[in-house]
């Protein structure tokens, strides 16, 4: 009986260990799936080892982060509304050094056009003899889906062009680099080389009303700044400034905060729960304060 009891105890322990290992392994793969969906999209570089100069390019793009929040919160960056031309402008949205090279906030932060231009200037000396490098406007990874979107990446084409050249796509925003055929989540709208602001060194960026500019991608949401009119008007007494969040693969966003100037009266709408969930309280509070400062300056 004692021997039988010991055998049963051993079986129970062995079964418990097996069940424990199953839970751990299951948790690992579920955790890995969550990690892949929620973080690796922008948190890790995806560089194909067969892509040209992959080690050097991976080193260039590894520190980069897709974000304009750091710039927007800076006092150097402003916002002006042109009520006559139905447009609005981010002032000092881009920075250049004395040689005309793009400078990133803290050496790493920017959004797609700025990041693409920064990387272009870095990789051109490496690639120019063997490859042609073009800016392309793309839809990417479930974001920037409409033809009017302006997400920029780099298309690297093997020389000579007489044969069927290999094509590689480099997206500094998502830090992806590889054979175009393998990046099936990208769609190229058009080639836009060179980017106009690289030629002119234009620091400001102008948009039509209703247009938005991205600030951040987080938790599979595109956080954007939007300016629009109100009451079928666009003037000092009728406009709105908003921060929106658009879920990946969707076309329409939700307001996180809106400052309405409604016939001369300020109205404010907030979705604090969603804002805090996506941005954290401190970042959201800083954005709220900055947007209020901009609003007050506009109506002076």
């Amino acid at each position: 009986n004692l021997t039988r009891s010991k055998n049963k105890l051993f079986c129970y322990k062995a079964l418990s260990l097996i069940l424990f290992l199953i839970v751990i392994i299951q948790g690992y793969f579920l955790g890995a799936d969550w990690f892949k969906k929620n973080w690796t999209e922008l948190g890790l570089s995806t560089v194909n080892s067969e892509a040209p100069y992959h080690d050097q390019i991976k080193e260039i793009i590894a520190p980069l982060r897709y974000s304009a929040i750091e710039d927007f919160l800076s006092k150097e960056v402003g916002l002006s509304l042109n009520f006559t031309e139905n447009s609005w402008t981010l002032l000092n949205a881009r920075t250049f050094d004395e040689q005309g090279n793009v400078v990133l906030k803290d050496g790493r932060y920017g959004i797609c056009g700025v990041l693409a231009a920064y990387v272009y200037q870095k990789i051109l000396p490496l690639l120019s003899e063997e490859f042609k490098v073009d800016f392309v406007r793309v839809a990417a990874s479930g974001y920037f889906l409409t033809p009017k979107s302006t997400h920029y990446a780099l298309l690297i084409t093997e020389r000579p062009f007489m044969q069927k050249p290999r094509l590689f796509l480099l997206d500094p925003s998502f830090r992806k680099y590889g054979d175009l055929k393998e990046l099936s989540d990208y769609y190229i709208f058009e080639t836009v080389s060179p980017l106009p602001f690289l030629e002119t060194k234009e620091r400001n960026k102008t948009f039509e009303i209703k247009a938005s500019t991205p600030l951040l991608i987080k938790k599979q949401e595109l956080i954007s700044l939007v300016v629009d009119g109100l009451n079928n008007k666009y003037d000092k007494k009728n406009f709105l400034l908003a921060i929106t969040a658009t879920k990946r693969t969707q076309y329409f966003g939700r307001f996180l905060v809106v400052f309405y100037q409604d016939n001369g009266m300020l109205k404010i709408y907030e979705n604090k729960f969603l804002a805090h969930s996506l941005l954290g309280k401190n970042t959201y509070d800083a954005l709220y304060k900055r947007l209020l400062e901009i609003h007050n300056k506009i109506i002076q």
Side-chain angles (χ1 to χ4, degrees), residues 91 112 124 136 169 175 200-201 228 238 288 296 300:
L91 307 171
C112 59
L124 202 58
V136 286
L169 190 77
R175 291 180 294 156
T200 62
K201 310 304 176 190
D228 200 357
N238 296 276
Y288 180 100
N296 292 342
Q300 283 178 355

Side-chain angles (χ1 to χ4, degrees), residues 37-216:
K37 286 180 180 177
N38 292 277
W39 180 246
T40 57
E41 179 176 67
L42 294 176
L44 295 176
S45 299
T46 305
V47 177
N48 189 314
S49 61
E50 301 300 316
Y53 297 94
H54 57 88
D55 286 344
Q56 295 94 320
I57 289 176
K58 184 174 183 177
E59 187 176 345
I60 292 169
I61 66 175
L64 304 183
R65 294 294 183 274
Y66 182 95
S67 176
I69 286 182
E70 293 75 14
D71 278 309
F72 185 65
L73 294 178
S74 167
K75 296 295 184 182
E76 297 171 3
V77 175
L79 191 151
S80 68
L81 276 55
N82 189 322
F83 298 120
T84 304
E85 297 185 4
N86 289 333
S87 65
W88 59 283
T89 300
L90 273 178
L91 307 171
N92 300 320
R94 309 181 185 104
T95 305
F96 302 89
D97 63 20
E98 293 179 357
Q99 288 73 44
N101 296 314
V102 171
V103 176
L104 302 181
K105 185 72 174 177
D106 297 334
R108 63 191 314 216
Y109 294 111
I111 56 174
C112 59
V114 171
L115 292 174
Y118 173 84
V119 171
Y120 174 84
Q121 292 172 332
K122 294 284 186 181
I123 67 172
L124 202 58
L126 284 174
L127 298 173
S128 58
E129 292 186 9
E130 304 168 68
F131 300 88
K132 182 172 182 280
V133 184
D134 290 304
F135 293 93
V136 286
R137 195 167 57 83
V138 300
S141 306
Y143 300 104
F144 316 104
L145 300 176
T146 67
K148 286 188 176 182
S149 295
T150 53
H151 184 67
Y152 295 110
L154 298 168
L155 182 66
I156 298 168
T157 307
E158 184 181 36
R159 302 179 193 270
F161 307 127
M162 293 81 74
Q163 305 169 359
K164 195 169 183 180
R166 290 185 300 163
L167 299 174
F168 300 91
L169 190 77
L170 170 56
D171 183 351
S173 298
F174 290 86
R175 291 180 294 156
K176 293 183 178 180
Y177 178 40
D179 193 304
L180 181 61
K181 292 182 291 187
E182 298 176 9
L183 295 173
S184 58
D185 53 344
Y186 282 83
Y187 178 82
I188 297 177
F189 292 121
E190 63 176 342
T191 300
V192 286
S193 282
L195 284 182
F197 76 80
L198 264 186
E199 296 288 296
T200 62
K201 310 304 176 190
E202 177 58 58
R203 292 170 57 86
N204 302 333
K205 189 174 182 180
T206 298
F207 307 84
E208 296 177 356
I209 57 169
K210 300 183 188 298
S212 63
T213 184
L215 295 177
L216 183 69

Side-chain angles (χ1 to χ4, degrees), residues 73 270 272 276 279-291:
L73 294 178
E270 294 182 86
K272 283 189 177 182
H276 289 179
L279 297 170
K281 184 180 184 304
N282 291 342
T283 299
Y284 172 69
D285 287 349
L287 281 173
Y288 180 100
K289 181 180 177 182
R290 183 75 179 113
L291 215 57

Side-chain angles (χ1 to χ4, degrees), residues 200-268:
T200 62
K201 310 304 176 190
E202 177 58 58
R203 292 170 57 86
N204 302 333
K205 189 174 182 180
T206 298
F207 307 84
E208 296 177 356
I209 57 169
K210 300 183 188 298
S212 63
T213 184
L215 295 177
L216 183 69
I217 294 176
K218 193 170 183 182
K219 296 184 179 180
Q220 302 204 39
E221 299 263 6
L222 178 64
I223 314 299
S224 302
L225 170 67
V226 180
V227 178
D228 200 357
L230 202 63
N231 303 320
N232 294 316
K233 301 174 185 177
Y234 182 58
D235 55 34
K236 210 169 194 179
K237 293 185 176 182
N238 296 276
F239 68 88
L240 67 82
L241 308 175
I243 304 293
T244 64
T246 305
K247 190 175 285 292
R248 184 175 181 264
T249 75
Q250 295 185 1
Y251 289 91
F252 299 102
R254 296 163 289 171
F255 288 125
L256 300 184
V257 60
V258 192
F259 289 84
Y260 297 93
Q261 193 66 21
D262 184 358
N263 287 317
M265 293 185 61
L266 173 61
K267 299 178 180 178
I268 302 173

Side-chain angles (χ1 to χ4, degrees), residues 4-20:
R4 190 178 299 169
S5 297
K6 286 182 178 179
N7 288 339
K8 282 184 179 179
L9 182 60
F10 175 80
C11 289
Y12 288 142
K13 286 183 177 179
L15 183 60
S16 297
L17 179 60
I18 291 169
L19 290 173
F20 176 77

